[in-house]
Structure formats: C-alpha cells, structure tokens
Amino acid sequence: MSDPDRFDDRLAQLAGSDETVGAARVIARAGGGGRAVALAVLNAIDESILPAELVVASEAGETMTLSVAARRLRLVVAASEDLAADTVIGQELDPEGTEELEVVIALIDRFARGAAGTVVVVEQPGEETGPRGVSATRLIGMLPEEIVDSPASELVPEGAAGAPEADGGVEAERFLAVAGPRISGHLLRRPDGSETADGADDIVDILSALADLEAETTPPGFEMWLRQTGQPDGRALGRAVWADGSVAAVAFPAREGGALAAAFAQTLTV
Amino acid sequence: MSADALKALTEAHAACRTVVFADMTTRMVLLSESRTVLHREAQQALALRGGRLLSAMDGDAPDPETAWDIAYSIGPDEIAVFLRVPDAPSDALCCLCAPDIDLDAFATDARSCLNRLAGVEG
C-alpha cells in the first residue's frame, strides 16, 4: 500500500461512524470488559494527530485528562481522586522512564476496571509545544496480562471509530503485548492495511521493508534473522505473520530470540 | 567423517528431524541426515528455502561486512533453522525440528557442526 493510500485509509477510519453524546464521542461500553475500555483509551491516543487534551469519562464518574499529540501520550494532566496517582499527574512522560509508565498504565487500568456504562472522550485543542511523550502502541504492550488475555472481540469496542471486522490482528496484538519488554522497535500491519509503529526512524524503515517481504512459510509463521556469532546485544530482526493477514515486524537484541519464539508460539495455542 | 557430524547433531537433539549440509553457490546438497525418508527433491527444496531466507534481509544487516548468519522459520508444527558461515557464506546447514526443540542449545550445537563441516575454527 502506497503512502497516499495509507493516508486515505487512515482518514477513512477517522471519518468512521462515531457515536456522539453532545460534544463527547463514545469510545467504549463498560460491559465489554476492562480490556475494551483500556484499549479504547489507548486507541483514542493512537488516533491523535494534532496536539490535544482528551478528557476521558465513564458513567462511574471517573475522569482522566490526557495531553496527547501524534499518537503519543505526553502527560496525564489530571485524574479523579479515586484514580489519583500523584507521582505522574502533570509530569512529562519519558519513554525511558519505565517506572512512571507503569504508574500511568496502572492509572488507566484502574479507570478501565472501575468504568460503568458508556465511556466517552471529549477532545480539546492542546498546546502546540510540549514533550514528545510515549507512543500509544508501547502503552498497549504494557497492559497487564489479565487485561491482555480478555476476549479478542473486545479489541475494538462497539461505537468506537472504525468497524470491528476491519481491524483484526488479535494474535499480533497479543504477540506484541508479550514481546513488548524484549523488543526495541516494532511495526504492526493489520489485515485492513493500517499500521502502527514504534522505534527509531531507521529501525522503523527496516521493519517496514521487512513487513513487505514475501513469507517463506504459510501463515501462521515467525521468521527471525540473527547474527549468532556476534554480540548477544546485537540487533536482530523478526517478522511474524498470522492467518488473518496481520504482520508484526520486530527489532530486538539477539539474546531475546528464544523468548520471542516462545511468545509467538503462545499466540498459536490460545 | 563429515556425515558423522550430522548424525551426532540429530542424536544429541531428539527433536531434530532432518539436517542438510548444502553448497549455496552450486545449490547442491552435499550431506543429509534424517529420521525419516527425505527424497532428494525435498532436500534440495529445504536448501533453497534456507538460501532465500538467510539472504532475504542481507541489505539490512547491522554491519555491512557481517550478514545475518542464522535464520529461523517457526510454524505451528515445525521449526526450520538455517545457518551459514560468515567467512564462507556458500556453506549452509538447514535443519527441520519439532516445535519442542531447545532453540538456543540446538543453535549452539548446529553452529559447531557447521563450523566443523566448513573447516572453520570456533
């Protein structure tokens, strides 16, 4: 798919039939489970282009205000008292700050588990300048295991932008969630052609070429390239494909090859 | 004996089903060892598959002077492991294993086996 096609596809997704309540857009229903709510929040971040503040609220009365831009979470501006995580409120998020990212994930987790009724988001213009923040894709990979293992049908909540049947990539999402701490970059291509990526620009370029590579095996399959005689921290590449057409290309330290193979195998047995 | 190296590798790893030592330049299978009957065409196909996979990402090797030297292809029922020697890239070892293979241990032994066959120290 060419870049203009990807852009058009992205615009088509964004122009999907959103359900709105006044100025608020419904992104999930609590009945879909904690995973659906958490992913809907992170997907809302992943849909951001211009700097914005997202006020996420559920009928339980809990709210979070998130500063976002370019598919990244810059900082948590505010949160309800019940969710309070003072250590991250107003703090610029550093991609290297693993502990503070875990606090953010815990905050979203608490919001998701405590949500009731519909969950909505109100978007307001944000500051043009601000920290770069952390990609939504990376945060999705950090979701707790028990949320990650929720039913696949909850990946795209009812009423959220984009048609559920056009998304897919459940196994690929699960693979990246498990592999997340072990990889240095990834590119996920879903069955509908949409892509998300995380990592340094030169790595993402390589992963894009890797995703385009013709598979040697019939899906599902995972191919890895390593330099066994090199350093254990040396860069290695992997490309996983699934029967639904989704592709995940990953870069990782060579020593993680065995663990990633196991992570891929898990997606075949669930 | 060179053939003994392949036999030793399959005997050391019960989950290793087939090993083929091939010359990628001439596309010839030089040696093979298999727990089941593997026809010449299948051996050749395995070697060609290994050659394609090993070289597929050569343009993106971390160091232009040192290409990837091991590639895996993991499927639900089988894991294929392909190795080549950086100093002698025409020599390749192509292996088919059951999914329960200990990948790291097997890769280490397969590397040792390939180095012996290719006459490389290490």
Side-chain angles (χ1 to χ4, degrees):
Chain A
M1 184 182 286
S2 66
D3 286 343
D5 287 342
R6 287 196 185 106
F7 184 67
D8 290 345
D9 185 59
R10 185 77 185 159
L11 285 182
Q13 284 185 40
L14 293 174
S17 56
D18 289 0
E19 184 182 344
T20 58
V21 180
R25 178 167 59 98
V26 177
I27 57 170
R29 298 176 195 284
R35 174 184 173 81
V37 174
L39 278 172
V41 172
L42 294 172
N43 283 339
I45 298 169
D46 195 42
E47 289 170 0
S48 67
I49 299 174
L50 299 176
E53 276 196 4
L54 304 182
V55 180
V56 187
S58 85
E59 289 185 37
E62 293 176 333
T63 64
M64 295 185 296
T65 304
L66 312 173
S67 173
V68 302
R71 306 166 72 178
R72 303 173 81 90
L73 175 61
R74 291 167 150 184
L75 59 89
V76 179
V77 178
S80 299
E81 199 170 326
D82 290 348
L83 304 172
D86 292 339
T87 50
V88 291
I89 301 298
Q91 185 177 331
E92 296 180 359
L93 294 179
D94 176 3
E96 304 301 322
T98 306
E99 285 185 16
E100 68 187 41
L101 297 186
E102 285 173 352
V103 174
V104 169
I105 286 295
L107 176 71
I108 294 171
D109 187 20
R110 281 197 296 278
F111 174 85
R113 290 171 196 268
T118 55
V119 178
V120 300
V121 62
V122 178
E123 185 171 339
Q124 303 162 345
E127 297 285 335
E128 281 297 328
T129 56
R132 186 154 185 261
V134 180
S135 80
T137 310
R138 180 169 173 198
L139 293 171
I140 288 171
M142 293 177 67
L143 283 175
E145 197 70 30
E146 61 271 26
I147 278 198
V148 170
D149 283 344
S150 295
S153 60
E154 297 166 8
L155 252 179
V156 179
E158 183 186 351
E165 63 272 19
D167 191 7
V170 176
E171 289 95 347
E173 296 270 12
R174 185 176 296 126
F175 170 70
L176 290 175
V178 175
R182 303 181 185 279
I183 60 179
S184 53
H186 79 262
L187 182 142
L188 169 62
R189 182 174 296 164
R190 296 184 181 82
D192 64 0
S194 62
E195 289 184 354
T196 53
D198 189 33
D201 288 347
D202 61 330
I203 296 286
V204 171
D205 286 346
I206 291 173
L207 296 179
S208 183
L210 184 56
D212 289 336
L213 204 65
E214 188 178 343
E216 278 293 329
T217 53
T218 304
F222 180 42
E223 293 162 344
M224 295 192 295
W225 292 263
L226 297 85
R227 188 158 192 278
Q228 187 188 23
T229 51
Q231 297 297 315
D233 288 333
R235 188 175 73 214
L237 299 174
R239 193 270 301 273
V241 294
W242 287 270
D244 67 358
S246 52
V247 180
V250 293
F252 56 92
R255 65 173 182 280
E256 301 288 3
L260 290 181
F264 174 76
Q266 279 184 33
T267 71
L268 304 180
T269 56
V270 173
Chain B
M1 293 284 290
S2 298
D4 290 343
L6 299 190
K7 194 173 183 63
L9 182 62
T10 54
E11 285 180 352
H13 296 271
C16 175
R17 297 166 174 164
T18 296
V19 185
V20 164
F21 176 59
D23 183 319
M24 292 301 172
T25 306
T26 58
R27 300 185 175 184
M28 284 183 63
V29 172
L30 304 175
L31 297 167
S32 70
E33 179 70 29
S34 182
R35 294 182 188 279
T36 57
V37 175
L38 193 68
H39 293 294
R40 196 74 181 170
E41 292 78 10
Q43 295 175 16
Q44 187 99 26
L46 177 62
L48 290 174
R49 180 182 163 200
R52 284 196 302 269
L53 193 63
L54 280 166
S55 60
M57 292 302 292
D58 275 355
D60 293 305
D63 179 344
E65 294 180 358
T66 55
W68 312 106
D69 61 14
I70 185 166
Y72 299 88
S73 178
I74 299 162
D77 305 317
E78 196 163 65
I79 295 178
V81 183
F82 305 102
L83 304 94
R84 64 182 172 185
V85 182
D87 295 336
S90 64
D91 291 340
L93 202 65
C94 309
C95 318
L96 293 177
C97 306
D100 60 346
I101 189 84
D102 179 339
L103 269 190
D104 291 336
F106 178 74
T108 300
D109 289 349
R111 170 66 54 196
S112 174
C113 174
L114 176 59
N115 285 347
R116 277 183 62 192
L117 294 172
V120 176
E121 291 299 321

PDB file of all heavy atoms in Angstrom, chain A residues 170-194:
ATOM      1  N   VAL A 170      -5.685  -9.741  16.203  1.00  0.00           N
ATOM      2  CA  VAL A 170      -5.737 -10.078  17.625  1.00  0.00           C
ATOM      3  C   VAL A 170      -4.471 -10.793  18.068  1.00  0.00           C
ATOM      4  O   VAL A 170      -3.860 -10.431  19.078  1.00  0.00           O
ATOM      5  CB  VAL A 170      -6.981 -10.952  17.912  1.00  0.00           C
ATOM      6  CG1 VAL A 170      -6.982 -11.378  19.369  1.00  0.00           C
ATOM      7  CG2 VAL A 170      -8.249 -10.200  17.583  1.00  0.00           C
ATOM      8  N   GLU A 171      -4.061 -11.809  17.297  1.00  0.00           N
ATOM      9  CA  GLU A 171      -2.857 -12.552  17.669  1.00  0.00           C
ATOM     10  C   GLU A 171      -1.632 -11.646  17.625  1.00  0.00           C
ATOM     11  O   GLU A 171      -0.737 -11.743  18.461  1.00  0.00           O
ATOM     12  CB  GLU A 171      -2.640 -13.751  16.736  1.00  0.00           C
ATOM     13  CG  GLU A 171      -3.636 -14.880  16.929  1.00  0.00           C
ATOM     14  CD  GLU A 171      -4.788 -14.771  15.967  1.00  0.00           C
ATOM     15  OE1 GLU A 171      -4.935 -13.703  15.328  1.00  0.00           O
ATOM     16  OE2 GLU A 171      -5.557 -15.742  15.845  1.00  0.00           O
ATOM     17  N   ALA A 172      -1.598 -10.774  16.629  1.00  0.00           N
ATOM     18  CA  ALA A 172      -0.449  -9.866  16.508  1.00  0.00           C
ATOM     19  C   ALA A 172      -0.377  -8.935  17.715  1.00  0.00           C
ATOM     20  O   ALA A 172       0.702  -8.688  18.259  1.00  0.00           O
ATOM     21  CB  ALA A 172      -0.567  -9.058  15.214  1.00  0.00           C
ATOM     22  N   GLU A 173      -1.529  -8.418  18.139  1.00  0.00           N
ATOM     23  CA  GLU A 173      -1.556  -7.540  19.326  1.00  0.00           C
ATOM     24  C   GLU A 173      -1.091  -8.315  20.551  1.00  0.00           C
ATOM     25  O   GLU A 173      -0.339  -7.798  21.380  1.00  0.00           O
ATOM     26  CB  GLU A 173      -2.982  -7.019  19.570  1.00  0.00           C
ATOM     27  CG  GLU A 173      -3.522  -6.132  18.467  1.00  0.00           C
ATOM     28  CD  GLU A 173      -3.216  -4.658  18.694  1.00  0.00           C
ATOM     29  OE1 GLU A 173      -2.390  -4.366  19.575  1.00  0.00           O
ATOM     30  OE2 GLU A 173      -3.799  -3.823  17.977  1.00  0.00           O
ATOM     31  N   ARG A 174      -1.547  -9.561  20.642  1.00  0.00           N
ATOM     32  CA  ARG A 174      -1.167 -10.371  21.808  1.00  0.00           C
ATOM     33  C   ARG A 174       0.346 -10.646  21.794  1.00  0.00           C
ATOM     34  O   ARG A 174       1.015 -10.568  22.820  1.00  0.00           O
ATOM     35  CB  ARG A 174      -1.958 -11.685  21.792  1.00  0.00           C
ATOM     36  CG  ARG A 174      -1.724 -12.552  23.029  1.00  0.00           C
ATOM     37  CD  ARG A 174      -2.592 -13.792  23.005  1.00  0.00           C
ATOM     38  NE  ARG A 174      -3.992 -13.482  23.070  1.00  0.00           N
ATOM     39  CZ  ARG A 174      -4.896 -13.913  22.188  1.00  0.00           C
ATOM     40  NH1 ARG A 174      -4.530 -14.643  21.182  1.00  0.00           N
ATOM     41  NH2 ARG A 174      -6.158 -13.596  22.337  1.00  0.00           N
ATOM     42  N   PHE A 175       0.858 -10.949  20.610  1.00  0.00           N
ATOM     43  CA  PHE A 175       2.296 -11.189  20.473  1.00  0.00           C
ATOM     44  C   PHE A 175       3.091  -9.961  20.913  1.00  0.00           C
ATOM     45  O   PHE A 175       4.043 -10.068  21.695  1.00  0.00           O
ATOM     46  CB  PHE A 175       2.613 -11.527  19.010  1.00  0.00           C
ATOM     47  CG  PHE A 175       4.080 -11.571  18.690  1.00  0.00           C
ATOM     48  CD1 PHE A 175       4.886 -12.580  19.186  1.00  0.00           C
ATOM     49  CD2 PHE A 175       4.663 -10.596  17.893  1.00  0.00           C
ATOM     50  CE1 PHE A 175       6.244 -12.619  18.890  1.00  0.00           C
ATOM     51  CE2 PHE A 175       6.008 -10.628  17.587  1.00  0.00           C
ATOM     52  CZ  PHE A 175       6.801 -11.641  18.096  1.00  0.00           C
ATOM     53  N   LEU A 176       2.693  -8.789  20.444  1.00  0.00           N
ATOM     54  CA  LEU A 176       3.427  -7.572  20.795  1.00  0.00           C
ATOM     55  C   LEU A 176       3.282  -7.243  22.279  1.00  0.00           C
ATOM     56  O   LEU A 176       4.207  -6.714  22.900  1.00  0.00           O
ATOM     57  CB  LEU A 176       2.937  -6.398  19.940  1.00  0.00           C
ATOM     58  CG  LEU A 176       3.329  -6.480  18.461  1.00  0.00           C
ATOM     59  CD1 LEU A 176       2.703  -5.346  17.671  1.00  0.00           C
ATOM     60  CD2 LEU A 176       4.843  -6.464  18.308  1.00  0.00           C
ATOM     61  N   ALA A 177       2.116  -7.589  22.844  1.00  0.00           N
ATOM     62  CA  ALA A 177       1.934  -7.334  24.280  1.00  0.00           C
ATOM     63  C   ALA A 177       2.910  -8.172  25.100  1.00  0.00           C
ATOM     64  O   ALA A 177       3.504  -7.694  26.070  1.00  0.00           O
ATOM     65  CB  ALA A 177       0.497  -7.645  24.672  1.00  0.00           C
ATOM     66  N   VAL A 178       3.088  -9.428  24.686  1.00  0.00           N
ATOM     67  CA  VAL A 178       4.005 -10.312  25.414  1.00  0.00           C
ATOM     68  C   VAL A 178       5.457  -9.949  25.098  1.00  0.00           C
ATOM     69  O   VAL A 178       6.329  -9.942  25.970  1.00  0.00           O
ATOM     70  CB  VAL A 178       3.730 -11.792  25.044  1.00  0.00           C
ATOM     71  CG1 VAL A 178       4.754 -12.704  25.686  1.00  0.00           C
ATOM     72  CG2 VAL A 178       2.320 -12.182  25.479  1.00  0.00           C
ATOM     73  N   ALA A 179       5.712  -9.621  23.833  1.00  0.00           N
ATOM     74  CA  ALA A 179       7.090  -9.360  23.402  1.00  0.00           C
ATOM     75  C   ALA A 179       7.574  -7.973  23.812  1.00  0.00           C
ATOM     76  O   ALA A 179       8.780  -7.729  23.859  1.00  0.00           O
ATOM     77  CB  ALA A 179       7.199  -9.503  21.886  1.00  0.00           C
ATOM     78  N   GLY A 180       6.654  -7.078  24.127  1.00  0.00           N
ATOM     79  CA  GLY A 180       6.955  -5.668  24.354  1.00  0.00           C
ATOM     80  C   GLY A 180       8.240  -5.368  25.097  1.00  0.00           C
ATOM     81  O   GLY A 180       9.090  -4.608  24.596  1.00  0.00           O
ATOM     82  N   PRO A 181       8.441  -5.950  26.293  1.00  0.00           N
ATOM     83  CA  PRO A 181       9.645  -5.598  27.047  1.00  0.00           C
ATOM     84  C   PRO A 181      10.942  -6.082  26.397  1.00  0.00           C
ATOM     85  O   PRO A 181      12.016  -5.651  26.796  1.00  0.00           O
ATOM     86  CB  PRO A 181       9.424  -6.327  28.383  1.00  0.00           C
ATOM     87  CG  PRO A 181       7.981  -6.680  28.425  1.00  0.00           C
ATOM     88  CD  PRO A 181       7.553  -6.848  27.011  1.00  0.00           C
ATOM     89  N   ARG A 182      10.839  -6.978  25.440  1.00  0.00           N
ATOM     90  CA  ARG A 182      12.049  -7.581  24.864  1.00  0.00           C
ATOM     91  C   ARG A 182      12.465  -6.955  23.540  1.00  0.00           C
ATOM     92  O   ARG A 182      13.508  -7.304  23.007  1.00  0.00           O
ATOM     93  CB  ARG A 182      11.828  -9.085  24.644  1.00  0.00           C
ATOM     94  CG  ARG A 182      11.450  -9.826  25.910  1.00  0.00           C
ATOM     95  CD  ARG A 182      11.256 -11.309  25.636  1.00  0.00           C
ATOM     96  NE  ARG A 182      10.788 -12.006  26.821  1.00  0.00           N
ATOM     97  CZ  ARG A 182      11.583 -12.407  27.802  1.00  0.00           C
ATOM     98  NH1 ARG A 182      12.865 -12.179  27.719  1.00  0.00           N
ATOM     99  NH2 ARG A 182      11.082 -13.029  28.848  1.00  0.00           N
ATOM    100  N   ILE A 183      11.622  -6.104  22.981  1.00  0.00           N
ATOM    101  CA  ILE A 183      11.913  -5.589  21.641  1.00  0.00           C
ATOM    102  C   ILE A 183      12.288  -4.114  21.700  1.00  0.00           C
ATOM    103  O   ILE A 183      11.916  -3.389  22.617  1.00  0.00           O
ATOM    104  CB  ILE A 183      10.726  -5.806  20.672  1.00  0.00           C
ATOM    105  CG1 ILE A 183       9.465  -5.094  21.182  1.00  0.00           C
ATOM    106  CG2 ILE A 183      10.453  -7.276  20.475  1.00  0.00           C
ATOM    107  CD1 ILE A 183       8.276  -5.251  20.264  1.00  0.00           C
ATOM    108  N   SER A 184      13.046  -3.688  20.664  1.00  0.00           N
ATOM    109  CA  SER A 184      13.483  -2.292  20.626  1.00  0.00           C
ATOM    110  C   SER A 184      12.696  -1.489  19.602  1.00  0.00           C
ATOM    111  O   SER A 184      12.878  -0.278  19.490  1.00  0.00           O
ATOM    112  CB  SER A 184      14.974  -2.227  20.296  1.00  0.00           C
ATOM    113  OG  SER A 184      15.256  -2.957  19.123  1.00  0.00           O
ATOM    114  N   GLY A 185      11.852  -2.140  18.858  1.00  0.00           N
ATOM    115  CA  GLY A 185      11.008  -1.445  17.896  1.00  0.00           C
ATOM    116  C   GLY A 185      10.084  -2.427  17.217  1.00  0.00           C
ATOM    117  O   GLY A 185      10.370  -3.634  17.177  1.00  0.00           O
ATOM    118  N   HIS A 186       8.961  -1.931  16.738  1.00  0.00           N
ATOM    119  CA  HIS A 186       8.047  -2.834  16.026  1.00  0.00           C
ATOM    120  C   HIS A 186       7.222  -2.069  15.011  1.00  0.00           C
ATOM    121  O   HIS A 186       7.078  -0.849  15.098  1.00  0.00           O
ATOM    122  CB  HIS A 186       7.125  -3.572  17.010  1.00  0.00           C
ATOM    123  CG  HIS A 186       5.978  -2.742  17.493  1.00  0.00           C
ATOM    124  ND1 HIS A 186       5.988  -2.082  18.697  1.00  0.00           N
ATOM    125  CD2 HIS A 186       4.785  -2.456  16.924  1.00  0.00           C
ATOM    126  CE1 HIS A 186       4.859  -1.426  18.855  1.00  0.00           C
ATOM    127  NE2 HIS A 186       4.099  -1.634  17.794  1.00  0.00           N
ATOM    128  N   LEU A 187       6.721  -2.816  14.066  1.00  0.00           N
ATOM    129  CA  LEU A 187       5.752  -2.292  13.120  1.00  0.00           C
ATOM    130  C   LEU A 187       4.655  -3.337  13.005  1.00  0.00           C
ATOM    131  O   LEU A 187       4.941  -4.509  12.754  1.00  0.00           O
ATOM    132  CB  LEU A 187       6.383  -2.026  11.751  1.00  0.00           C
ATOM    133  CG  LEU A 187       5.434  -1.433  10.703  1.00  0.00           C
ATOM    134  CD1 LEU A 187       6.166  -0.408   9.854  1.00  0.00           C
ATOM    135  CD2 LEU A 187       4.843  -2.511   9.802  1.00  0.00           C
ATOM    136  N   LEU A 188       3.427  -2.913  13.236  1.00  0.00           N
ATOM    137  CA  LEU A 188       2.284  -3.820  13.144  1.00  0.00           C
ATOM    138  C   LEU A 188       1.432  -3.410  11.959  1.00  0.00           C
ATOM    139  O   LEU A 188       1.001  -2.263  11.873  1.00  0.00           O
ATOM    140  CB  LEU A 188       1.458  -3.766  14.439  1.00  0.00           C
ATOM    141  CG  LEU A 188       0.090  -4.452  14.397  1.00  0.00           C
ATOM    142  CD1 LEU A 188       0.230  -5.942  14.136  1.00  0.00           C
ATOM    143  CD2 LEU A 188      -0.653  -4.224  15.713  1.00  0.00           C
ATOM    144  N   ARG A 189       1.224  -4.341  11.041  1.00  0.00           N
ATOM    145  CA  ARG A 189       0.343  -4.106   9.896  1.00  0.00           C
ATOM    146  C   ARG A 189      -0.887  -4.990  10.070  1.00  0.00           C
ATOM    147  O   ARG A 189      -0.784  -6.219  10.087  1.00  0.00           O
ATOM    148  CB  ARG A 189       1.060  -4.426   8.600  1.00  0.00           C
ATOM    149  CG  ARG A 189       0.229  -4.153   7.356  1.00  0.00           C
ATOM    150  CD  ARG A 189       1.039  -4.341   6.099  1.00  0.00           C
ATOM    151  NE  ARG A 189       2.134  -3.373   6.023  1.00  0.00           N
ATOM    152  CZ  ARG A 189       3.173  -3.493   5.206  1.00  0.00           C
ATOM    153  NH1 ARG A 189       3.270  -4.526   4.410  1.00  0.00           N
ATOM    154  NH2 ARG A 189       4.134  -2.579   5.198  1.00  0.00           N
ATOM    155  N   ARG A 190      -2.019  -4.347  10.207  1.00  0.00           N
ATOM    156  CA  ARG A 190      -3.260  -5.098  10.448  1.00  0.00           C
ATOM    157  C   ARG A 190      -3.846  -5.590   9.127  1.00  0.00           C
ATOM    158  O   ARG A 190      -3.441  -5.126   8.050  1.00  0.00           O
ATOM    159  CB  ARG A 190      -4.256  -4.210  11.184  1.00  0.00           C
ATOM    160  CG  ARG A 190      -3.783  -3.803  12.569  1.00  0.00           C
ATOM    161  CD  ARG A 190      -4.839  -3.010  13.317  1.00  0.00           C
ATOM    162  NE  ARG A 190      -4.345  -2.607  14.624  1.00  0.00           N
ATOM    163  CZ  ARG A 190      -3.565  -1.551  14.837  1.00  0.00           C
ATOM    164  NH1 ARG A 190      -3.210  -0.802  13.831  1.00  0.00           N
ATOM    165  NH2 ARG A 190      -3.142  -1.255  16.051  1.00  0.00           N
ATOM    166  N   PRO A 191      -4.821  -6.498   9.211  1.00  0.00           N
ATOM    167  CA  PRO A 191      -5.400  -7.044   7.976  1.00  0.00           C
ATOM    168  C   PRO A 191      -5.992  -5.977   7.064  1.00  0.00           C
ATOM    169  O   PRO A 191      -6.034  -6.153   5.848  1.00  0.00           O
ATOM    170  CB  PRO A 191      -6.498  -7.985   8.498  1.00  0.00           C
ATOM    171  CG  PRO A 191      -6.044  -8.372   9.869  1.00  0.00           C
ATOM    172  CD  PRO A 191      -5.331  -7.169  10.417  1.00  0.00           C
ATOM    173  N   ASP A 192      -6.452  -4.872   7.629  1.00  0.00           N
ATOM    174  CA  ASP A 192      -7.044  -3.828   6.791  1.00  0.00           C
ATOM    175  C   ASP A 192      -5.984  -2.891   6.208  1.00  0.00           C
ATOM    176  O   ASP A 192      -6.318  -1.913   5.540  1.00  0.00           O
ATOM    177  CB  ASP A 192      -8.088  -3.024   7.576  1.00  0.00           C
ATOM    178  CG  ASP A 192      -7.479  -2.254   8.740  1.00  0.00           C
ATOM    179  OD1 ASP A 192      -6.250  -2.356   8.925  1.00  0.00           O
ATOM    180  OD2 ASP A 192      -8.219  -1.564   9.459  1.00  0.00           O
ATOM    181  N   GLY A 193      -4.702  -3.187   6.460  1.00  0.00           N
ATOM    182  CA  GLY A 193      -3.628  -2.383   5.894  1.00  0.00           C
ATOM    183  C   GLY A 193      -3.161  -1.257   6.801  1.00  0.00           C
ATOM    184  O   GLY A 193      -2.133  -0.627   6.526  1.00  0.00           O
ATOM    185  N   SER A 194      -3.905  -0.967   7.851  1.00  0.00           N
ATOM    186  CA  SER A 194      -3.470   0.104   8.755  1.00  0.00           C
ATOM    187  C   SER A 194      -2.226  -0.339   9.517  1.00  0.00           C
ATOM    188  O   SER A 194      -2.022  -1.533   9.762  1.00  0.00           O
ATOM    189  CB  SER A 194      -4.593   0.467   9.733  1.00  0.00           C
ATOM    190  OG  SER A 194      -4.915  -0.637  10.548  1.00  0.00           O
TER     191      SER A 194
END
